[in-house]
Amino acid sequence: MEWENHTILVEFFLKGLSGHPRLELLFFVLIFITYVVILLGNGTLILISILDPHLHTPMYFFLGNLSFLDICYTTTSISSTLVSFLSERKTISLSGCAVQMFLGLAMGTTECVLLGMMAFDRYVAICNPLRYPIIMSKDAYVSMAAGSWIIGAVNSAVQTVFVVQLPFCRNNIINHFTCEILAVMKLACADISGNEFILLVTTTLFLLTPLLLLIVSYTLIILSIFKISSSEGRSKPSSTCSARLTVVITFCGTIFLMYMKPKSQATLNSDDLDATDKLIFIFYRVMTPTMNPLIYSLRNKDVKEAVKHLLRRKNFNK
C-alpha cells in the first residue's frame, strides 16, 4: 500500500546515449549501415529459398525462417533505436514498452529453439543420411519450425504479463536503448525477486535445452566426420560445423552475458557496467543477424548458384 500515493507511471524515458550526441551520431551511422546489410542479406536468402526449387529442403526452410526471424528481430528494436538517436523526444508509453518487451523476448526465445532444431536437422543429414527423408519429412520440419515460434510467443507473453503487472512509480528512466525486460524490471517499486526467478528459469530452460541439443548434435557430427576416410569427404561437413558453431557460440554467449550474470553484478549501477550492457545489447541485436546469412548460406555453393540463376533470369526478363 506504500506506493498508492505515488504517481503511477504511464511512460518511460529511454536514456540510451543521452548526453553523448557525437556517439549517438556515430552509432546511428554504423547501426543504419548494418541494418541495411541485414535486410539485404537475409532478404536475399528468403527470396532464393522461395523461388529456387532446388532449395526447397528442410535445411533451407529453417534458414528461411531464421532469416525472417532476424529481420523481424532487428526491425522491432533497431528501428526504434535509430529514431531515438535523431529525436529529442525519447519517451515511450507503457503499452509501447510492453510491445517492445514481448517482441524482443519472443524473437530471442524463438531463435534459441530454432538453432537447436537446425542442429538436429544437420545431425540427421550427416549421421543418418539414408533415414533423413523419413525423419525430416515436410510435416516434421514444418512442425519443428512452428513449434519454435509458438514456444517463443508463449514464453514472451508470460514474461511480459508478469512485468506489466508490476507497479512503476518515481523513477521512469530506462538506462537502455529499448524496453529491455531486465532494465524495465529494475524500475518497479516492488519486490522483483519472483520475476527474476521466473526469468532465470525460463532463460535456463529455453537457452540451455537448445544449447544441450546443439552440443550433442555437433559432437556426434564431429565424431562421424572423423570416421570418414577421405579428406575431401571430411572437408564440407567440417566447414559447415565450424561456421555454424561460430554463430551459435556468438549468439548464446551474448545471451548468457545479458540474462545469466550473477545478481550482485546485474544490480550494480556503475556507469562502466551500464556501458558494457549496452555494448552487449548492440552486439546481440546487430552482429548475429549480420553474420547469419554470411556464415550459414551466402558462402554455400548451392546458394551462390541460386543467386546467379536469379540474376540471370532477371537480366533475361529485361
Side-chain angles (χ1 to χ4, degrees):
M1 298 294 291
E2 292 181 2
W3 50 271
E4 281 189 353
N5 293 328
H6 294 288
T7 302
I8 305 302
L9 298 181
V10 293
E11 66 178 13
F12 297 99
F13 175 81
L14 296 171
K15 185 176 180 181
L17 293 174
S18 298
H20 304 279
R22 292 184 179 180
L23 277 179
E24 283 190 327
L25 182 59
L26 175 63
F27 269 75
F28 174 84
V29 174
L30 293 177
I31 294 175
F32 179 77
I33 293 173
T34 309
Y35 182 52
V36 172
V37 172
I38 290 170
L39 293 179
L40 291 176
N42 288 284
T44 300
L45 183 56
I46 294 171
L47 185 64
I48 61 174
S49 65
I50 293 173
L51 297 179
D52 195 315
H54 297 95
L55 301 184
H56 292 175
T57 63
M59 183 179 77
Y60 291 105
F61 178 78
F62 284 127
L63 289 175
N65 271 267
L66 184 64
S67 293
F68 179 71
L69 181 65
D70 283 338
I71 290 176
C72 295
Y73 201 8
T74 52
T75 300
T76 57
S77 57
I78 298 305
S79 57
S80 60
T81 302
L82 291 174
V83 171
S84 70
F85 283 154
L86 299 180
S87 174
E88 294 183 1
R89 181 178 174 81
K90 301 180 186 295
T91 57
I92 184 171
S93 65
L94 179 59
S95 58
C97 197
V99 171
Q100 275 195 358
M101 283 191 293
F102 171 79
L103 292 175
L105 194 56
M107 301 298 173
T109 304
T110 301
E111 185 151 356
C112 285
V113 179
L114 191 61
L115 288 173
M117 301 295 186
M118 293 170 67
F120 176 75
D121 170 70
R122 289 299 85 202
Y123 158 73
V124 177
I126 295 174
C127 299
N128 295 284
L130 296 180
R131 298 183 60 193
Y132 182 73
I134 300 173
I135 297 174
M136 296 303 296
S137 63
K138 185 174 182 179
D139 288 341
Y141 68 75
V142 170
S143 298
M144 290 165 68
S148 301
W149 287 92
I150 292 171
I151 290 172
V154 172
N155 174 52
S156 182
V158 172
Q159 298 284 356
T160 304
V161 168
F162 276 116
V163 173
V164 171
Q165 289 181 344
L166 290 170
F168 295 97
C169 45
R170 301 174 185 167
N171 184 15
N172 72 330
I173 300 176
I174 299 177
N175 196 5
H176 221 291
F177 296 108
T178 64
C179 289
E180 195 274 327
I181 191 166
L182 275 177
V184 175
M185 281 198 304
K186 291 176 184 178
L187 299 182
C189 47
D191 182 19
I192 62 170
S193 57
N195 297 76
E196 289 179 329
F197 176 74
I198 294 172
L199 182 62
L200 177 63
V201 170
T202 55
T203 302
T204 302
L205 177 64
F206 296 120
L207 178 61
L208 291 186
T209 302
L211 185 59
L212 180 62
L213 181 60
L214 284 160
I215 293 171
V216 172
S217 297
Y218 283 115
T219 299
L220 294 174
I221 289 172
I222 291 170
L223 292 175
S224 178
I225 291 172
F226 285 145
K227 294 178 182 179
I228 301 175
S229 56
S230 66
S231 58
E232 184 177 346
R234 289 195 301 264
S235 61
K236 184 175 180 180
S238 61
S239 175
T240 301
C241 284
S242 60
R244 296 191 175 201
L245 282 173
T246 301
V247 173
V248 170
I249 291 171
T250 301
F251 180 78
C252 294
T254 50
I255 295 180
F256 269 112
L257 288 173
M258 287 176 66
Y259 295 113
M260 302 191 73
K261 293 180 299 184
K263 187 175 180 181
S264 59
Q265 286 186 332
T267 54
L268 289 176
N269 293 319
S270 66
D271 292 336
D272 291 338
L273 182 62
D274 289 337
T276 302
D277 286 344
K278 292 174 185 178
L279 289 175
I280 292 172
F281 171 83
I282 291 294
F283 188 80
Y284 171 58
R285 290 293 175 95
V286 173
M287 292 308 299
T288 305
T290 306
M291 293 167 60
N292 281 342
L294 297 174
I295 291 180
Y296 273 115
S297 298
L298 296 183
R299 55 178 294 188
N300 183 293
K301 182 180 178 181
D302 294 334
V303 174
K304 288 181 180 179
E305 289 298 322
V307 172
K308 291 178 182 178
H309 177 71
L310 182 64
L311 293 175
R312 283 197 299 265
R313 188 169 68 177
K314 184 178 179 181
N315 291 330
F316 178 77
N317 291 334
K318 286 182 179 181

